[in-house]
Amino acid sequence: MSLPPESREEAIKRLADSASAMEARQARDVSHEAAGQAAAGQAWRIIADLFGGVFVGLAIGFIVDRFAHTGPWGLIGGVLLGFAVSVFMAWQTAQRLMAQAKASGVEPKSVPFDEDEEV
């Protein structure tokens, strides 16, 4: 069974349509990949905020202990202060990301909780 003959213009139009459809699929795939990479980058940013605040507080507490001879109290206070600052910074980053997502029209999906599911 042979295909019906078509004119050259019809064949070129059909080829152009299929090429544009393929380009649209590839662009959509690339945009999903870029969005995933951006989300991973933001997650690493929040983790870096959490660890960075604790380590900076640890360093400040160590310096205070070293020069003020206060024993472990400067170190303890520095770690607690660094932890509090790092949680605040991570919260601010998360709030900013949520505001950006809402502005772009993306609503977060809720995940149902299954009580029967074992961990």
Side-chain angles (χ1 to χ4, degrees):
M1 182 179 234
S2 65
L3 295 173
E6 61 183 340
S7 70
R8 182 178 182 150
E9 291 80 22
E10 291 173 347
I12 291 173
K13 183 180 182 316
R14 187 173 45 87
L15 182 62
D17 290 342
S18 64
S20 64
M22 185 177 71
E23 287 176 357
R25 278 194 309 268
Q26 286 178 344
R28 186 175 56 238
D29 291 343
V30 169
S31 68
H32 286 301
E33 183 177 322
Q37 289 176 351
Q42 294 299 333
W44 282 111
R45 163 84 191 263
I46 291 174
I47 291 171
D49 284 346
L50 288 171
F51 281 115
V54 172
F55 288 136
V56 168
L58 184 70
I60 290 172
F62 180 76
I63 291 171
V64 167
D65 279 344
R66 187 83 162 165
F67 290 114
H69 305 289
T70 57
W73 297 111
L75 196 63
I76 292 169
V79 167
L80 292 175
L81 183 65
F83 177 72
V85 169
S86 67
V87 167
F88 177 72
M89 287 173 25
W91 178 75
Q92 271 189 325
T93 301
Q95 292 296 320
R96 182 177 45 81
L97 291 174
M98 287 300 295
Q100 287 176 353
K102 285 183 181 179
S104 68
V106 177
E107 287 295 323
K109 296 179 183 176
S110 65
V111 178
F113 178 72
D114 188 10
E115 292 180 8
D116 297 336
E117 189 174 303
E118 294 183 24
V119 178

